[in-house]
């Protein structure tokens, strides 16, 4: 059995991951961590899923010792602390957290020289496939079609555009043969002037309990192509993250994404 640690275990994704672990006979919950000021510390980690387990929610990072994989859906600063702990303890890591700066991403890449890491802003199988489809479409539609990425999420999301939207933008840029950093346009306001055909624009919607919608629009003359994914439950991300954890069982070191996990490369 693969021994798995969940950090951020009382969060929205933490809950979905615990449900997924309890439903999978190949996975065992080794430890469940959350913030030092969480009111849930000391409670049975299974309680929120109606289960009784021997694992109590803790903030003690030593609890990860002896585990195979740690799954992190928290906040970037917390993820980097767990990354250091995983390096010290030799525990592989699945990172689903979003909102990292380029420097923080470089730190993750550096750690992967000695540690197996799956790092993906969206762990759903559908979005992973969508990323491939967007890259293929952009290759064909790179001239005469304006590329825009539109995303919608629930009111509690703290980063924008979503990590998935950025990943889709990168895929579109790669397909169109453009440098993403140079062409990404994150917001428009006021007298913007006409659209630069090379840009890849982003539009963000926040509201209610939307789990996550993403559309990549290719707007040409006389036609539009829209590639859309809509997540209706966090279970889809949890299923992907647990699949990533199993994938890492066979990897000593290296940085992988969901394309690797799903063998889409
Ligand atoms: P959430 O706010 O519901 O949960 C975050 C959890 O992390 C909370 O339990 C919080 O207490 C905990 N946390 C924060 N700092 C911590 C620390 N220092 N130590 C331990 N725990 C800490 O958020 P969420 O909706 O579950 O999303 C979490 C992250 O995952 C976000 O970055 C979100 O964008 C990302 N996300 C990624 C995917 C994906 O497929 N990759 C899918 C959904 C959400």
């Amino acid at each position: 059995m693969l021994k798995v640690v969940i950090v951020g275990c009382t969060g929205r994704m933490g809950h979905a991951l615990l449900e997924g672990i309890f439903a999978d006979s190949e996975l065992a919950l080794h430890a469940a961590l959350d913030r030092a000021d969480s009111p849930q510390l000391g409670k049975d980690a299974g309680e929120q899923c109606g289960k009784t387990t021997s694992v109590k929610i803790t903030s003690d990072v030593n609890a990860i010792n002896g585990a195979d994989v740690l799954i992190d859906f928290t906040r970037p600063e917390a993820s980097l602390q767990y990354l250091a702990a995983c390096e010290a303890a030799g525990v592989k890591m699945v990172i689903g957290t979003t909102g990292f700066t380029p420097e923080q991403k470089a730190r993750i890449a550096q750690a992967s020289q000695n540690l197996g890491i799956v790092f993906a802003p969206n762990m759903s199988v559908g979005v992973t496939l969508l990323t491939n489809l967007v890259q293929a479409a952009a290759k064909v539609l790179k001239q005469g079609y304006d590329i825009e990425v539109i995303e919608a999420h629930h009111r509690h999301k703290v980063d924008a555009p979503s990590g998935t939207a950025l990943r889709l933008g990168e895929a579109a840029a790669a397909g169109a043969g453009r440098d993403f950093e140079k062409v990404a346009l994150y917001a428009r306001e006021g007298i913007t002037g006409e659209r630069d055909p090379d840009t890849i624009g982003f539009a963000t919607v926040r509201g209610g309990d939307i789990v996550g919608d993403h559309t990549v629009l290719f707007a040409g003359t006389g036609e539009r192509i829209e590639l859309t994914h809509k997540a209706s439950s966090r279970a889809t991300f949890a299923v992907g993250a647990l699949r990533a954890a199993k994938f890492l069982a066979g990897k000593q070191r290296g940085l992988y994404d969901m394309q690797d996990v799903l063998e889409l490369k």
Side-chain angles (χ1 to χ4, degrees):
M1 290 241 278
L2 198 68
K3 289 180 272 179
V4 182
V5 177
I6 302 297
V7 295
C9 67
T10 69
R12 286 175 286 263
M13 277 305 301
H15 185 133
L17 287 159
L18 288 172
E19 293 276 9
I21 290 177
F22 296 141
D24 191 329
S25 59
E26 292 173 26
L27 302 173
L29 181 66
H30 181 83
L33 279 77
D34 215 291
R35 307 161 62 104
D37 60 357
S38 167
Q40 309 294 327
L41 296 189
K43 288 191 180 164
D44 185 332
E47 194 179 306
Q48 55 180 317
C49 306
K51 300 261 180 211
T52 305
T53 72
S54 56
V55 177
K56 301 263 182 275
I57 299 174
T58 180
S59 61
D60 181 3
V61 79
N62 290 316
I64 77 170
N65 292 333
D68 297 306
V69 187
L70 179 148
I71 305 181
D72 166 277
F73 285 73
T74 57
R75 294 288 179 271
E77 310 70 45
S79 307
L80 292 190
Q81 285 169 8
Y82 289 120
L83 179 67
C86 281
E87 282 177 302
V91 176
K92 296 164 191 174
M93 200 166 174
V94 174
I95 304 176
T97 301
T98 62
F100 292 98
T101 64
E103 294 74 29
Q104 289 172 324
K105 286 184 187 170
R107 169 76 185 93
I108 293 169
Q110 179 240 328
S112 73
Q113 288 170 9
N114 296 310
L115 197 70
I117 299 176
V118 174
F119 177 38
N122 195 310
M123 303 260 170
S124 100
V125 173
V127 163
T128 306
L129 176 62
L130 178 70
T131 310
N132 278 29
L133 296 175
V134 164
Q135 184 160 341
K139 202 170 174 184
V140 178
L141 304 173
K142 59 181 174 251
Q143 275 176 349
Y145 292 79
D146 298 321
I147 307 174
E148 298 277 313
V149 183
I150 304 126
E151 60 106 333
H153 280 88
H154 53 89
R155 60 169 73 102
H156 302 293
K157 186 160 177 63
V158 297
D159 53 320
S162 71
T164 305
L166 295 171
R167 181 72 197 89
L168 291 168
E170 286 169 3
R178 298 176 201 160
D179 179 344
F180 178 71
E181 301 299 332
K182 290 197 179 127
V183 299
L185 182 66
Y186 297 112
R188 297 187 181 97
E189 193 186 1
I191 311 298
T192 58
E194 284 191 16
R195 194 184 190 289
D196 174 343
D198 278 347
T199 50
I200 294 177
F202 288 85
T204 298
V205 176
R206 290 286 174 269
D209 59 357
I210 304 169
V211 175
D213 295 351
H214 292 88
T215 292
V216 180
L217 164 69
F218 297 86
T221 304
E223 66 175 359
R224 293 194 301 274
I225 296 146
E226 295 181 3
L227 297 174
T228 296
H229 177 272
K230 295 186 180 186
S232 47
S233 154
R234 286 182 180 80
T236 182
F237 310 124
V239 166
L242 296 174
R243 207 159 150 173
K246 290 178 187 174
F247 165 88
L248 278 179
K251 308 280 183 248
Q252 273 317 106
R253 58 183 62 81
L255 187 57
Y256 305 96
D257 59 19
M258 285 306 285
Q259 253 88 13
D260 295 306
V261 174
L262 301 176
E263 298 179 351
L264 284 172
K265 280 187 175 161

